[in-house]
Amino acid sequence: MSSPPPSGAALRRLLQIGAQILLAMLIAAAAWALVQHALDVLRARGVRSGFDFLRDPAGFGLSEGWLAFDAGQPFWRAFLAGLANTVRAAVPAAAFAVALGTLLGIGRLAPHLLVRWLCGVYVETIRNVPLLVQMLMLYFALAQLLPDPTAPLALGGGLWLSKAGLALPWLGEGGRLEWPERTAFGVIGGAALTPEYLAVTGALALYSAAFVAEIVRGGIQAVPRGQVLAAQSVGFSPAQQMRLVVLPLALRVIVPALTNQLLSLAKNASLAVAVGYPELVSVANTSLNSTGRAFECIAVVMAVYLLLSLAIALAMNVYNARVALRGTAQ
């Protein structure tokens, strides 16, 4: 049996998808043509250009990261390691910012005056101080105010904090959990998070949480009062009202604005170069200085951040569609 012809709505949907794909291909072709034209102009002026340097040995190493990298490996792997470090800082920061921002947003609407005041002071203070200043302040605090590595501060649960960073339990080579141990020369074993990483992740999380708080507060206030009264009428406690009724309905307002904030957080991770954390922009700066390929290095950074932003936007749009469907079904 032959399949039935597509309906009018399905045909329109296919045409829309096809038009979007065609537009994306045209934009990509135009961008590639502009890049090639710029490279041709540079070559005409006697400037070495092209992306062939990405296959050459980098000649420098990275101080930390998920992806192992040494000076003998090519530049393209250095950029990949820098991207991995960007994701390594941005993902935990985003998770912490959403969690803390949600609590702050709810706190700004709490019936208790002190709670509202404290949450308001945090939000208004943090979001009005530049992120770079906060990152530098946090880094200098970690590097100057913490105890020396030979006398670390025990936080409990196998956590040790010092100027060398945060040591925590982690899986060892045998797949078994390895606990950090204090010795006369410092803490050994487990995993160590450097002060640079802690400063970047902490500053991104604390700064973004202030903006997430306002997004959550606005979303909660957008929920119709009748929904809250209906939850009260069936005997829901205030916590149940917030968890089962208010927040699910508020998500339809929160998620689009939250997407923009997560995009900003990912791009703000480029400020990590100021404290010496080897993320993507830091790798690009080092590569630029060693090769002189300024246009190419900047183009790589732009392309990577564009793809990263598109991936975040796509994931959040898919989630937003699911939230909207669930809200409609209710």
Side-chain angles (χ1 to χ4, degrees), residues 233-265:
S233 67
V234 296
F236 281 2
S237 67
Q240 290 176 322
Q241 295 170 29
M242 183 62 65
R243 180 171 58 89
L244 300 176
V245 177
V246 177
L247 282 180
L249 293 176
L251 280 177
R252 291 177 292 177
V253 178
I254 291 172
V255 172
L258 182 62
T259 301
N260 291 333
Q261 189 56 46
L262 294 181
L263 290 172
S264 296
L265 186 151

Side-chain angles (χ1 to χ4, degrees), residues 269-293:
S270 61
L271 296 175
V273 65
V275 297
Y277 179 67
E279 46 74 55
L280 181 62
V281 174
S282 176
V283 171
N285 287 340
T286 305
S287 302
L288 187 157
N289 292 329
S290 62
T291 64
R293 307 288 181 93

Side-chain angles (χ1 to χ4, degrees), residues 129-149:
V129 177
L131 173 59
L132 180 58
V133 175
Q134 296 184 40
M135 192 177 294
L136 291 173
M137 289 178 62
L138 184 56
Y139 174 69
F140 290 136
L142 292 171
Q144 300 295 328
L145 302 181
L146 292 178
D148 292 332

Side-chain angles (χ1 to χ4, degrees), residues 7-8 17 99 228 245 251 270 324 330:
S7 63
I17 294 175
V228 179
V245 177
L251 280 177
S270 61
Q330 293 174 350

Side-chain angles (χ1 to χ4, degrees), residues 66 79-95 197 200-201 204 265-266 269-270 277-280 304-305 308 311-312:
W66 273 342
F79 280 99
L80 185 61
L83 173 61
N85 281 347
T86 297
V87 175
R88 176 177 177 244
V91 171
Y197 174 78
V200 171
T201 306
L204 286 172
L265 186 151
S270 61
Y277 179 67
E279 46 74 55
L280 181 62
V304 171
Y305 269 106
L308 183 61
I312 294 173

